[in-house]
Structures are given as structure tokens and as C-alpha cells.
Amino acid sequence: MYAKGEILKRREAVGISDIRELVLHLIADAPPPSWIRVEHARSIKKVVALLIPGLTPDILSLPPLPTSATANPHLPLEVPLPQTGAENATGVPFIQCTFTYACPTRAPGDQSRMHSVLNAFFQGPVTGEEKKRRLTERLTSERLQDKTPVRYLLSLEQMIENGYPIPSYLAETFEKPPGWVETKVEIVDDTLLSPPNTLAPRIYAMDCEMCLTDDGGKQLARVCLIDYASGIVIYDQLVKPSRPVVDYLTRWSGITAEALSKATATFEEVQAHIISVLSVTPTPVLLGHSLESDLHALKICHPRCIDTALIYNHPRGRPLKPGLAWLTKKWCGREIQNRGEGGHDPEEDARACLDLLKKKVDNGPGFGEFKVDTESIFERMSRSRTKGVAVTSAIVDHGNPSAWHGQKATTCVACKTDAEVLDGLLASVDSHHFLFGRFTALADARGWITPKATGDASVTDTTAAPASAAASSPPESQSPADLQAVLVALDAQLRTLYAALPARTAFVIFTGHADPRRMAALNARKTAFEGALRMGGRADELGPEARWTSADGRELEEEVEKAKRGLLFLGVKGA
């Protein structure tokens, strides 16, 4: 039962974090939320949470949110029963028959952007007791362990999760295309990834820069290696491209046509030299920031790696990765990558990685981390014993949830379609206390989901707005007939799942957000305008369609608030 009096006191609608805390109250050890009353919460056996973006008030024939200054837009709305016998009836009858109220929700974000719904749901603050335990454990551990860089070597699991090319002698997870090589090692055993403290392998900080060639691909343009112990640059080489260069990417790489015209070393020669440096005993350690990108650029598989993007944390927590310039300013007190259109200097970036590792070694593993502040809900659940046993969890989602929000879940099921999501939930429901699934066909049918860009865009999720790099014309929605077919399929999937749930299962459906397309289009325009100014353009020289005005800014803020709106449906299956 919703506590309307408490909701009236709130300045904002129920947030995604509130839904997370409700789930943790029902299945773990979180205190009861103030905005809803749950009687006999400990008698609930399971919790199933579904995220269904694209489900909006108009589909369910809900009344519009009140706009009057005297009405509160955060109060739950009554869900009308489905129309029976009406021609071309729309909606999702299961929801309209199962739930009495729809509670308005608000996605996280700021004035100009909506943040990830998935991240807000799966990541939350740790309890005070857990924070104290972690701090004590960390301090004890740091006192007992030697200050050695090799303790920060990536494990095989970390390398696989972060897309590193894995040598064949470690695991058969990476099939080397033609032109790839791997570091030669004498002995393959546990000491390869966990060398004893008495062993002191050489450590080289490395950074690579790329250029764009006429075949649309990127080629290595420069590589720099710096010795960790001495700080001496042992290798800094420009690479002669094998194909005509169409973009030197100077703004990012620092490479110019004049500089690259002097290059004489071929890619194969540079690759062979790097391999010769690494194929010695003991096997050296490579250090870099998002080092997997540099290894892919060199087409090299190497077993011993330290990644400053992983040993340091993003302030918003995993799985986001911090930028090198931000880390260097935050923890080393100096600025890098500030040469404007001159681009990056690979020696500067490699030296920044070197300094960050030294800071970490000197100050201990907890330096530069934010783990004491946030944790995955699956970690929180695994510690709880409110059910008498350890809480088991399953995440059934599109893509690869085990490399994203499901890293700490008991079970992860990767899916490509909503039908596979349903099958995964049905297969997991008997053996898990908490299940999460996401149905995306409706959002896709409505044109809300756009293909991802490559590279760093992988840190976003499909429930957030389309990437700002997307075209300003978002994908078209399907026809009403096609949309109705998707709704019919969704209704059948929900009915099938609900029928399989045991009695006393809490059933949570939330939509996350509303239509993000107009917000995304405006953000794309704003980004293009700001980019043009950074490139030296003047606002009065840009065409009207390329300018960004204060009116556009106000419209963006309005569209962001609209996009953040969502709905929540709560119920418990009876006997």
C-alpha cells in the first residue's frame, strides 16, 4: 500500500534508487521505505523485477500527470481496467488486470542529461556496518602486504571481462587473426599472473596513438615505452602507415602529416621490437590506461598487465572507468592532455600511468578507490541471511550482463530477444530468490533504441537515451499494427511468467524513463555546437540549424524532465 502522505512530502517522484531499496527490503536487510507500506515483508519468498522501457501512460489509458500548481504529480494513478470487446483495443491487459495503481517515477540525471537507469538500480550505497568492515579489512591487509607493483597485475578474469586479447597459453578465449603475435614465456604456471614478491620483473608504461586510413580502419601511428624504475623512455617510434591516411586524428593523437611523413619503421618492425622487449625472463609487466586498446593496436597478446583504468575507480563506481586526465589531476595534482588541438602526447600519457601506479604502491590498494561508498545490490543480497540462507540472484538481460551489472549475481543469462529473456526467467525462477529481467522489444518498436557507437560508448546502457553521437533524426516508430503485435506478445510473456511464479512472490515492473529521442537530438545539437566552438568557429558564423541558443537550453531542460518520467507497478502474487 502506497503511503500517500509520505509521497506528498517528497520534492520529487519515487526514484530508481527507491525501487532498489524496496527490493533490498523485501529480499535482503534494507530498512522499510517510507513511501510504501509492506505488511509481513519477511513472508515474501521471492522478488521478480522487470524493466520494460517503452511502456507509457497512453498505452495503458492512464490519466495524464496533473500540471496544476495545486495537484501533486507524484501520487499513484489508478490503473483502469482494459476495454473489453472494443475494436483495435490497445494496452497490456495483464498489467491493467493485475495492478491497481501506477506510481510515477523519476530517472536519475541532471538538467541536461538522463543518467543510466540500470546503474541507479544495480548500484547503491553500502551500509555503515559494511563500510566499517571494509575499511578495517583494507587497513589490515595493507599492513601485512609488501609495497610492490606486481600485486596490481590483472587477473585472467579481469582481462577477459575488459576485452583484453588473451595469450593462448593462458586461455583459449581469443582467436588471433592474421598478423597477431603473443609474448613468449618459458614457464606457464600460477606465478605468471601472481609472481612472488621476491621476483621483480621490469615494468614498462606504454601508450599508443592511431590515425585513420582510407579503408575506414585505424592504424598504429606512434608507440612509446617508459621504464618504470628509471623513468627513461626506452622506445618512442613513429609508425609508417601501410595505407593512405585520411585523418591524422591530431586533436586526440598529436600526430601530424609532417611528423608522420618522417616515419620509416613499418608496423611489423615496431611490433617485432615490442615483442622482443617483452619476450624475456622474467616476463615484463605492461602498464597503461585501458591497455587493451593499445594491445589491440599493436596486435599483441601479453599475460602481465596493469591497467590504471581498473586499479583506480570512477567516482560513480563500477563498471564506469575513469579518464586518464581526470585521474592525473585528481591524484597526482597536475594536468595532462591540455594541448588543445595539439592532441595527446603518448609519452605524457605513459608517464601519467607510471606516476599513478607509484602513487598506488606508496599509498596502498585503497588509494584512489570509491568502493567503500557503493556496491552492487547482488553483493548486498549475498551478505543477507534474512531468508535463513544466502540469497541467490539471477539477471536475465540482453547483451552480456556478466560483464556489466551482473558481475556479482549468482547467475547471468545473456539474451538476444525478449523470448530468450522469458525462457531465462522461467528456467531460473525455482532456484533463485531474486530475478531481474529486461524486455526491450517495445522500446525498440517505438524507435527508442539506437545502435551503439563503438569504443567508450559501451559504458552506456540501452535504457538510457540514445548516444548523443546518434543522428539527429532518431529511428522511426513502427506502425500501430506492428506496435499492437509487440504489445500482444509482451502481454503473453507477462502472463506466462506470472503463472510460473510461486505464491508470495513480489512482482515489480518499472519502465525507467519516457521517450528520450527529443532529448537526445537536442543534446546532439548542443555537442556539435560546442565542438564547433572548440575547433575555432564563431557562433555568428554558424548556420541557424547549427547554433545553440538559450531557448534551446530551456527546451532541453524540459525534454530531460519529460524523458525522466517513468511508471512503477507493484504487487504480490497470492496463494
Side-chain angles (χ1 to χ4, degrees):
M1 178 184 295
Y2 292 101
K4 295 184 179 180
E6 293 295 328
I7 294 177
L8 284 170
K9 297 177 184 178
R10 300 170 64 101
R11 296 182 59 185
E12 296 180 347
V14 170
I16 305 301
S17 60
D18 294 312
I19 303 173
R20 178 194 68 234
E21 293 303 307
L22 171 62
V23 168
L24 288 171
H25 170 61
L26 296 177
I27 205 68
D29 56 359
S34 61
W35 55 276
I36 191 169
R37 304 278 188 266
V38 182
E39 297 181 358
H40 310 296
R42 291 295 167 255
S43 66
I44 291 176
K45 292 183 175 180
K46 297 178 184 290
V47 176
V48 175
L50 300 181
L51 177 57
I52 310 178
L55 198 57
T56 49
D58 57 302
I59 287 179
L60 300 172
S61 301
L62 292 173
L65 292 176
T67 56
S68 169
T70 59
N72 191 305
H74 309 325
L75 290 174
L77 307 170
E78 287 194 28
V79 179
L81 290 172
Q83 300 177 8
T84 56
E87 292 186 12
N88 301 320
T90 61
V92 183
F94 168 80
I95 290 179
Q96 295 164 292
C97 293
T98 306
F99 302 100
T100 306
Y101 291 98
C103 183
T105 63
R106 188 173 188 268
D110 53 31
Q111 287 185 315
S112 61
R113 291 189 183 277
M114 180 172 64
H115 296 161
S116 166
V117 170
L118 285 177
N119 193 63
F121 181 75
F122 285 114
Q123 296 288 326
V126 299
T127 62
E129 180 182 349
E130 175 64 12
K131 186 182 294 186
K132 186 183 297 184
R133 185 195 67 79
R134 290 184 179 190
L135 181 60
T136 303
E137 183 181 80
R138 178 170 65 88
L139 293 175
T140 303
S141 172
E142 290 173 9
R143 280 194 293 265
L144 294 175
Q145 295 185 8
D146 295 330
K147 293 186 175 182
T148 171
V150 296
R151 68 177 300 177
Y152 300 105
L153 282 173
L154 297 183
S155 66
L156 178 59
E157 291 75 17
Q158 286 177 305
M159 294 173 71
I160 293 173
E161 286 175 3
N162 289 279
Y164 273 73
I166 309 297
S168 59
Y169 45 79
L170 285 183
E172 294 290 344
T173 60
F174 180 76
E175 184 176 347
K176 295 191 293 295
W180 278 75
V181 295
E182 59 186 27
T183 303
K184 297 179 176 63
V185 298
E186 288 187 352
I187 301 174
V188 179
D189 58 16
D190 292 342
T191 64
L192 187 57
L193 295 181
S194 300
N197 292 338
T198 54
L199 183 67
R202 296 285 293 272
I203 300 175
Y204 301 112
M206 181 174 74
D207 188 64
C208 296
E209 300 298 346
M210 312 288 286
C211 61
L212 194 66
T213 52
D214 64 347
D215 60 352
K218 288 184 179 180
Q219 285 197 4
L220 184 68
R222 183 180 173 187
V223 58
C224 179
L225 282 177
I226 301 178
D227 180 65
Y228 175 83
S230 65
I232 296 173
V233 176
I234 66 164
Y235 190 63
D236 190 350
Q237 185 66 58
L238 289 166
V239 185
K240 184 178 180 180
S242 60
R243 300 186 62 88
V245 176
V246 296
D247 191 343
Y248 292 90
L249 304 175
T250 306
R251 183 179 170 192
W252 295 277
S253 68
I255 302 296
T256 63
E258 180 183 2
L260 205 58
S261 66
K262 302 174 184 177
T264 57
T266 66
F267 172 83
E268 290 75 18
E269 290 170 342
V270 171
Q271 183 192 59
H273 181 83
I274 298 292
I275 278 291
S276 69
V277 171
L278 298 177
S279 297
V280 298
T281 303
T283 302
V285 174
L286 274 182
L287 164 67
H289 190 81
S290 294
L291 185 59
E292 76 280 1
S293 300
D294 300 296
L295 291 173
H296 279 283
L298 285 162
K299 298 183 180 180
I300 287 177
C301 303
H302 186 68
R304 286 181 172 171
C305 300
I306 299 176
D307 192 336
T308 51
L310 297 177
I311 65 174
Y312 283 85
N313 281 8
H314 190 285
R316 285 169 54 198
R318 301 289 184 211
L320 301 177
K321 294 182 179 180
L324 181 60
W326 182 88
L327 283 178
T328 308
K329 184 175 182 180
K330 173 73 175 176
W331 303 114
C332 299
R334 73 172 192 272
E335 292 189 357
I336 64 169
Q337 301 177 357
N338 58 354
R339 299 194 301 162
E341 300 307 312
H344 297 185
D345 179 348
E347 179 183 342
E348 180 183 51
D349 288 1
R351 204 169 291 283
C353 292
L354 186 150
D355 291 343
L356 284 167
L357 179 57
K358 288 184 176 180
K359 285 277 188 181
K360 177 71 80 166
V361 172
D362 291 342
N363 294 279
F367 181 78
E369 290 193 357
F370 298 86
K371 284 186 176 179
V372 295
D373 297 323
T374 61
E375 67 177 340
S376 164
I377 63 169
F378 300 117
E379 291 181 278
R380 178 84 171 268
M381 291 177 183
S382 66
R383 294 197 307 270
S384 173
R385 293 295 185 271
T386 56
K387 301 298 179 186
V389 295
V391 174
T392 54
S393 54
I395 177 169
V396 185
D397 199 1
H398 293 255
N400 184 14
S402 63
W404 184 230
H405 289 294
Q407 289 182 10
K408 303 293 184 179
T410 309
T411 302
C412 288
V413 181
C415 305
K416 295 181 179 179
T417 65
D418 282 6
E420 292 182 4
V421 172
L422 175 62
D423 291 341
L425 290 168
L426 293 175
S428 304
V429 70
D430 290 335
S431 54
H432 297 82
H433 297 99
F434 171 74
L435 296 94
F436 172 88
R438 179 165 57 129
F439 292 109
T440 63
L442 180 57
D444 195 21
R446 302 191 72 177
W448 289 16
I449 298 177
T450 58
K452 292 277 184 299
T454 58
D456 292 340
S458 63
V459 302
T460 62
D461 65 72
T462 55
T463 68
S468 59
S472 58
S473 56
E476 295 285 335
S477 302
Q478 292 187 8
S479 68
D482 292 335
L483 183 61
Q484 180 60 19
V486 173
L487 291 172
V488 169
L490 175 62
D491 186 75
Q493 289 163 343
L494 293 176
R495 290 180 185 275
T496 301
L497 175 60
Y498 193 74
L501 301 180
R504 291 187 286 168
T505 295
F507 199 39
V508 181
I509 295 177
F510 63 111
T511 65
H513 60 85
D515 190 344
R517 291 174 293 178
R518 181 57 182 163
M519 174 189 69
L522 287 168
N523 264 318
R525 275 188 52 208
K526 181 183 178 184
T527 300
F529 174 75
E530 292 171 344
L533 294 184
R534 283 195 296 268
M535 294 291 288
R538 291 173 50 185
D540 55 0
E541 295 174 344
L542 301 175
E545 71 286 348
R547 292 177 190 163
W548 183 258
T549 66
S550 57
D552 294 325
R554 290 191 296 271
E555 183 186 0
L556 175 59
E557 291 183 11
E558 292 173 1
E559 292 300 327
V560 168
E561 284 305 311
K562 291 178 183 177
K564 290 178 181 178
R565 296 173 183 171
L567 296 171
L568 169 67
F569 305 89
L570 299 173
V572 178
K573 185 175 181 181

